[in-house]
Amino acid sequence: MSIKTVATTPFSDQKPGTSGLRKKVAIFRSPHYLENFVQAIFDTIAAPQGSTLVLGGDGRHYNREAIQVILKMAAAFGFGKVLVGQGGILSTPAASCVIRKYHTYGGIILSASHNPGGPDGDFGIKYNTGNGGPAPEKITEAIYARSKALANYRIFDAPDVALDQAGSFTLGGMVVEVIDPVTDYAELMESLFDFDAIRTLIRGGFRLCFDAMHAVTGPYGHEILERRLGAPAGTVINGVPLPDFGGGHPDPNLTYAHELVEIMYGADAPDFGAASDGDGDRNMILGRHFFVNPSDSLAVIAANARLAPGYAAGVAGVARSMPTSEAVDRVAAKLGIPCYETPTGWKFFGNLMDAGKVTLCGEESFGTGSSHVREKDGLWAVLFWLNILAKRGQSVEKIIHGHWAEYGRNVYSRHDYESLPGDAADGVMAHLKSQFTELPGKRFDAWQVKFCDDFSYTDPVDGSVSTGQGLRIGFVDGSRIVFRLSGTGTEGATLRIYLEAFEPDTAKHHLDAQLALAGLIAIAGDLSQLRARTGREQPTVIT
Ligand code: G16
């Protein structure tokens, strides 16, 4: 067995997006594509010889083959040890947990998150640093630069490693330790939440349903919800991870998690429902016949954080991505703690958490988490809600309405237009921008434009600046419309329109968000010339 140096030519399209490099499986399968990107990562991070790496993925198609390639390249690079999840499985938050717990140099996570899988689906790869979080932009930019200049990569010439049993193996001078993917994570969850209170709640007849969407959280849900918390078998549905997610789209929202939605809106619905995505970092929370908007979920968790043992001492600060509603800002103001507004992408929260400035973070894109790891964490959010429900003894709907009565309601919705031709989407954005000088002061029915800008962010910890993070149109009454192009799609462009209005009047809190936001939705359509430029009459997904 020896190290092979393979001559290669660079690919021009290996620029990581919002969360790592995501492409169709067929592209990753093309000769040298994966290897080039992995070599670019290794060359960029310059881990000292003998370092330890974490490796795992969401089990989607190509996960197993990619892991074998990366193990052999890690051995050729000179890593001393790789901790790899059994069967190649590690949820994204579990990978973050393992990196932090064992103080490894970093980790590689294989996932295209909520994007569909299978031979015709998507695959993805991202590097997480030693704090357990996604590499910041300066590292992803450097990886991209390196990928454009590669002339060769190095790989250990050896048979595949057996990954289906826990144990230690050697690959040249490197140890491959196959670890149980669930245990470390489950222990961390037990240290944060009141498992006794949740057990008592469930024993008392509280019914819940967790949809793992045939993605990575199945084994985590079975272990934590059913075995450790005593929920009856069958609580976790679609709990077997499948390489194509059973043909589904593992995105926990009202459109794609329709099986759960039908259960939660059906007759005899359980008290609580939740779903997670491909790699386990997203969450959707439902009550009986009731949807919890992710922005509200973050605000409720912040307001009730002290009910969970891991957060009993309080919260240092909170952070949300710019398009996320300002509901959590109101909680922070009341608690007298700082609230940070970052660009979209969990990587922007890492510095704030490392510096101790924030404890809780969240995004409208069904992501919530805390400084317990450096990724958003789907099951963590589910357990936080169960902890709150156990302590408050109220229904999900009652908790949300009580929250709105206390803080007012930030009525919120996101409209996605998926798979648009790139030039049509760019045209919409350019047209919007071209109006920015003349818009301030203009009136549209009841709304007067206060400002418009292209959001940019200066990291308060390291001073790095990120520009071009979304077009904002703010109105005098505090309402806003944000336009952004997704950085995670792999087919054409996805245009996201985020709509938000503040409603202090409790008499109007029961209103459906689409009705309450109808005026802003119409303004967004007019200002963007969306229909004319894209030919689309309706969004693909509304959340
Ligand atoms: C990723 C990022 C999130 C981001 C989301 C949507 O989530 O980690 O921070 O909010 O994408 O990004 P975009 O609007 O650019 O598509 P995930 O769950 O896909 O890793």
Side-chain angles (χ1 to χ4, degrees):
M1 288 187 288
S2 61
I3 293 172
K4 276 197 307 186
T5 300
V6 181
T8 188
T9 46
F11 295 90
S12 59
D13 65 345
Q14 297 196 324
K15 184 176 169 59
T18 311
S19 182
L21 182 68
R22 293 185 188 171
K23 300 281 176 197
K24 291 281 170 213
V25 167
I27 293 180
F28 268 105
R29 273 193 186 287
S30 53
H32 310 308
Y33 195 88
L34 173 71
E35 291 85 345
N36 272 26
F37 191 70
V38 172
Q39 190 66 50
I41 294 175
F42 288 164
D43 289 353
T44 305
I45 63 173
Q49 295 288 295
S51 300
T52 301
L53 191 70
V54 171
L55 179 61
D58 62 12
R60 68 178 57 225
H61 194 82
Y62 195 53
N63 194 56
R64 282 176 171 268
E65 295 100 307
I67 284 187
Q68 296 294 345
V69 168
I70 297 167
L71 284 174
K72 290 169 197 174
M73 290 185 68
F77 181 82
F79 278 96
K81 193 193 230 184
V82 177
L83 301 175
V84 54
Q86 192 175 331
I89 293 283
L90 269 178
S91 78
T92 291
S96 184
C97 159
V98 172
I99 293 170
R100 293 171 66 77
K101 180 167 179 179
Y102 298 105
H103 306 287
T104 72
Y105 190 79
I108 290 181
I109 302 175
L110 303 175
S111 170
S113 189
H114 55 286
N115 297 9
D120 301 322
D122 291 348
F123 189 74
I125 172 168
K126 70 173 182 172
Y127 176 68
N128 280 29
T129 54
N131 73 347
E137 267 188 342
K138 62 175 185 299
I139 296 181
T140 55
E141 286 299 324
I143 292 170
Y144 177 46
R146 180 68 192 135
S147 77
K148 289 188 287 188
L150 272 184
N152 55 56
Y153 61 83
R154 284 155 48 84
I155 187 160
F156 198 71
D157 193 10
D160 286 356
V161 179
L163 296 178
D164 289 317
Q165 295 296 324
S168 274
F169 306 89
T170 52
L171 200 55
M174 187 181 85
V175 175
V176 177
E177 200 175 318
V178 180
I179 60 169
D180 178 82
V182 179
T183 308
D184 293 312
Y185 177 81
E187 279 171 10
L188 178 59
M189 293 302 111
E190 266 191 299
S191 75
L192 297 174
F193 300 113
D194 190 339
F195 271 39
D196 284 337
I198 301 173
R199 252 181 239 120
T200 306
L201 177 76
I202 292 171
R203 226 182 287 125
F206 179 92
R207 288 160 56 224
L208 65 150
C209 179
F210 176 75
D211 188 353
M213 303 189 83
H214 283 305
V216 78
T217 47
Y220 296 84
H222 283 304
E223 173 63 26
I224 296 172
L225 299 173
E226 295 178 354
R227 279 191 276 282
R228 297 197 186 204
L229 288 169
T235 294
V236 177
I237 61 171
N238 300 319
V240 178
L242 298 174
D244 65 350
F245 308 119
H249 189 153
D251 196 354
N253 60 35
L254 292 172
T255 304
Y256 295 126
H258 49 85
E259 186 175 345
L260 176 71
V261 171
E262 276 152 32
I263 292 170
M264 294 306 299
Y265 282 82
D268 195 31
D271 302 284
F272 179 81
S276 192
D277 69 330
D279 62 333
D281 57 2
R282 295 185 174 207
N283 73 91
M284 175 170 70
I285 302 293
L286 299 169
R288 184 183 293 133
H289 302 178
F290 192 80
F291 166 69
V292 180
N293 185 286
S295 296
D296 284 332
S297 177
L298 172 65
V300 166
I301 287 175
N304 292 277
R306 283 176 185 268
L307 297 178
Y311 304 86
V315 169
V318 294
R320 62 167 173 83
S321 66
M322 179 273 284
T324 302
S325 98
E326 292 171 356
V328 73
D329 303 37
R330 297 176 191 282
V331 176
K334 193 154 188 179
L335 293 174
I337 55 173
C339 176
Y340 296 85
E341 183 179 41
T342 64
T344 295
W346 205 261
K347 60 192 172 207
F348 293 102
F349 295 138
N351 276 351
L352 297 171
M353 289 193 269
D354 286 351
K357 290 180 180 296
V358 305
T359 309
L360 298 174
C361 310
E363 296 188 283
E364 48 66 39
S365 55
F366 295 84
T368 337
S370 86
S371 50
H372 68 291
V373 290
R374 292 293 183 276
E375 289 279 4
K376 56 187 188 273
D377 190 342
L379 262 169
W380 170 92
V382 172
L383 293 168
F384 217 133
W385 265 95
L386 289 173
N387 194 136
I388 292 169
L389 291 163
K391 292 286 175 145
R392 294 203 27 184
Q394 292 170 313
S395 71
V396 172
E397 184 172 358
K398 235 193 156 85
I399 287 175
I400 291 287
H401 278 284
H403 187 91
W404 289 341
E406 185 173 351
Y407 295 92
R409 178 182 177 193
N410 284 73
V411 189
Y412 187 84
S413 183
R414 186 178 101 182
H415 289 196
D416 293 339
Y417 292 80
E418 295 177 351
S419 303
L420 295 175
D423 48 356
D426 290 342
V428 169
M429 297 299 273
H431 175 65
L432 283 162
K433 256 184 137 168
S434 72
Q435 302 169 76
F436 273 14
T437 41
E438 75 204 39
L439 273 180
K442 265 201 173 169
R443 278 192 173 278
F444 297 88
D445 300 329
W447 292 273
Q448 185 177 18
V449 177
K450 186 174 175 195
F451 74 93
C452 351
D453 66 5
D454 192 348
F455 181 64
S456 74
Y457 175 68
T458 303
D459 186 301
V461 178
D462 66 14
S464 57
V465 177
S466 303
T467 56
Q469 297 294 330
L471 305 182
R472 303 193 289 184
I473 300 175
F475 297 90
V476 172
D477 70 351
S479 312
R480 49 180 201 149
I481 307 174
V482 175
F483 295 84
R484 223 189 117 251
L485 294 180
S486 158
T488 57
T490 58
E491 256 179 60
T494 295
L495 176 69
R496 305 202 194 285
I497 305 177
Y498 311 83
L499 305 129
E500 177 175 4
F502 182 62
E503 180 54 77
D505 182 357
T506 45
K508 295 186 185 154
H509 283 173
H510 63 282
L511 274 185
D512 175 69
Q514 302 311 312
L515 280 178
L517 294 168
L520 287 177
I521 293 169
I523 296 172
D526 288 349
L527 285 177
S528 61
Q529 296 181 343
L530 192 82
R531 274 177 207 93
R533 289 175 177 274
T534 66
R536 296 284 179 87
E537 291 295 325
Q538 294 296 331
T540 325
V541 178
I542 294 181
T543 45

